[in-house]
């Protein structure tokens, strides 16, 4: 029943029902009938194959005919070549007709401009223009020379006034006054800084005294110890300490580790205080 291969029961010529009949996929009365069930008839296969080939040919022919019709419809929707190039051809012919006339008009316009320019370029006209330009240049040069002289006189006057203000005696007196003012300001600045530093020192000393009064270090100096667990939390009661837990004891002169309810290992004992000598005899360790 769990076989993945299809089974056909064909015991043959048995009137009774066997167990294989209940688990097989098909039941045949004889082995010959089982063979016919398992292997199809060649004639039927040929007929089915021919039928499928004909259906495939008809389907391909129908698809080809439909696509041909669709292509014909699209081709009818497209414009013709003559209609596509008619308007550009018309524009090109119009431009070709206007081009000779435009070239002739342009040439005529440039010829007339050249003739007007050539009429103006006569020797007498050029000489007269040069003479007028020389007169204008001479006038401009004279005006520029007068402007430069006036500007030089004005700057010389301003320089004389400015030099009168910068006398050595006045400069020395002004420097002395500013030096005295600078000395007074520096002295006041030093006094102010000294007072501020003294006030800050007094405030710092007062805060230090307040900090020492509220610090737990003063309590440790009187013989007490601060107990912390492995997680860094403070243990205030014996009920908070678990048996075998590693504790850190903080004294006034340093820290050390201890194991609750046991003896500490040599590797886990770390203290910032100087190491004490090992007691002689069988006195044992304090923790």
């Amino acid at each position: 029943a769990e076989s993945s291969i299809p089974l056909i029961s064909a015991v043959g010529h048995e009137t009774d029902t066997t167990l294989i009949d209940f688990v097989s996929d098909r039941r045949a009365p004889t082995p010959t009938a089982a063979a016919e069930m398992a292997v199809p008839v060649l004639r039927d296969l040929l007929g089915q194959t021919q039928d499928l080939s004909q259906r495939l040919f008809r389907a391909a022919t129908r698809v080809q005919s439909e696509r041909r019709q669709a292509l014909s419809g699209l081709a009818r929707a497209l414009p013709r070549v003559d209609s596509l190039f008619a308007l550009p051809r018309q524009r090109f012919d119009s431009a070709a007709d206007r081009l000779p006339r435009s070239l002739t008009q342009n040439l005529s316009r440039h010829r007339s401009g050249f003739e007007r320019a050539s009429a103006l370029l006569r020797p007498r006209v050029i000489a007269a223009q040069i003479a007028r330009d020389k007169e204008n240049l001479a006038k401009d040069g004279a005006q520029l020379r007068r402007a430069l002289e006036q500007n030089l006189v004005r700057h010389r006057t301003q320089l004389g006034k400015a030099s009168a203000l910068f006398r050595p005696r006045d400069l020395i007196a002004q420097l002395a006054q500013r030096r005295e003012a600078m000395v007074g300001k520096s002295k006041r600045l030093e006094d102010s800084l000294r007072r501020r530093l003294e006030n800050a020192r007094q405030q710092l000393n007062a805060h230090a005294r307040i900090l020492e009064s509220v610090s737990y270090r003063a309590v440790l100096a009187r013989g007490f110890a601060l107990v912390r667990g492995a997680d860094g939390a403070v243990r205030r009661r014996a009920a908070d300490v678990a048996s075998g837990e590693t504790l850190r004891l903080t004294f006034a002169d340093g820290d050390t580790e201890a194991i609750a309810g046991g003896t500490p290992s040599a590797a886990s004992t770390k203290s910032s205080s100087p190491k004490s000598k090992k007691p002689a005899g069988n006195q044992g360790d304090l923790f």
Side-chain angles (χ1 to χ4, degrees):
E2 296 180 357
S3 175
S4 60
I5 302 174
L7 299 178
I8 300 175
S9 63
V11 178
H13 306 287
E14 290 291 339
T15 59
D16 298 332
T17 302
T18 59
L19 292 178
I20 195 174
D21 295 336
F22 294 101
V23 298
S24 62
D25 297 288
R26 298 291 296 274
R27 181 177 182 277
T30 59
T32 304
E36 292 179 356
M37 291 180 182
V39 181
V41 181
L42 178 60
R43 186 180 302 143
D44 296 340
L45 287 177
L46 293 176
Q48 186 178 3
T49 303
Q50 186 177 3
D51 184 29
L52 292 176
S53 62
Q54 292 178 358
R55 290 176 59 187
L56 179 62
F57 177 75
R58 289 195 298 270
T61 304
R62 184 172 62 257
V63 171
Q64 186 177 5
S65 177
E66 292 176 355
R67 292 184 178 180
R68 185 183 294 106
Q69 292 178 1
L71 182 61
S72 301
L74 293 175
R76 287 194 299 270
L78 292 175
R80 296 182 179 179
V81 179
D82 296 338
S83 61
L84 287 175
F85 292 99
L87 184 59
R89 187 182 294 110
Q90 184 178 1
R91 292 178 179 177
F92 179 77
D93 294 340
S94 177
D97 293 338
R98 291 195 304 270
L99 181 60
R101 294 193 299 270
S102 300
L103 291 175
T104 304
Q105 293 176 2
N106 191 16
L107 180 61
S108 177
R109 185 165 55 254
H110 282 79
R111 184 182 289 109
S112 60
F114 180 75
E115 290 176 355
R116 288 194 299 270
S118 62
L120 296 175
L121 295 177
R122 295 178 182 178
R124 294 181 180 179
V125 177
I126 295 175
Q129 184 67 30
I130 292 173
R132 287 196 298 271
D133 292 340
K134 286 182 178 180
E135 292 178 359
N136 294 331
L137 183 61
K139 292 180 181 179
D140 294 339
Q143 292 178 0
L144 179 61
R145 190 179 298 107
R146 288 194 298 270
L148 290 175
E149 292 176 356
Q150 293 176 0
N151 192 13
L152 181 61
V153 171
R154 185 169 60 256
H155 281 80
R156 187 180 291 112
T157 304
Q158 293 177 357
L159 182 61
K161 293 180 180 180
S163 62
L165 297 176
F166 291 100
R167 295 178 181 178
R169 294 181 180 178
D170 297 338
L171 291 175
I172 293 172
Q174 188 175 4
L175 289 175
Q177 292 176 359
R178 293 187 177 181
R179 187 180 295 108
E180 293 177 357
M182 184 66 68
V183 170
K185 290 181 179 179
S186 62
K187 186 177 181 180
R188 290 195 299 272
L189 180 60
E190 291 178 358
D191 296 340
S192 176
L193 290 176
R194 190 179 297 106
R195 287 193 299 272
R196 293 187 62 181
L197 288 175
E198 186 63 28
N199 294 334
R201 186 180 295 107
Q202 293 177 2
Q203 292 179 2
L204 181 60
N205 293 332
H207 292 163
R209 288 192 296 272
I210 295 173
L211 182 61
E212 289 178 357
S213 64
V214 298
S215 176
Y216 69 93
R217 295 289 179 180
V219 180
L220 297 179
R222 295 200 298 269
F224 294 91
L226 180 64
V227 181
R228 294 188 179 91
D231 55 354
V234 178
R235 300 292 188 265
R236 295 182 175 83
R237 298 177 181 83
D240 298 338
V241 179
S243 179
E245 181 182 3
T246 301
L247 303 176
R248 178 171 290 277
L249 305 181
T250 302
F251 298 93
D253 58 349
D255 297 347
T256 186
E257 290 185 355
I259 298 176
T263 58
S265 60
S268 62
T269 303
K270 297 180 181 178
S271 176
S272 60
S273 61
K275 295 183 179 178
S276 60
K277 296 182 179 180
K278 184 176 181 181
N282 297 327
Q283 184 179 357
D285 190 66
L286 178 60
F287 297 100

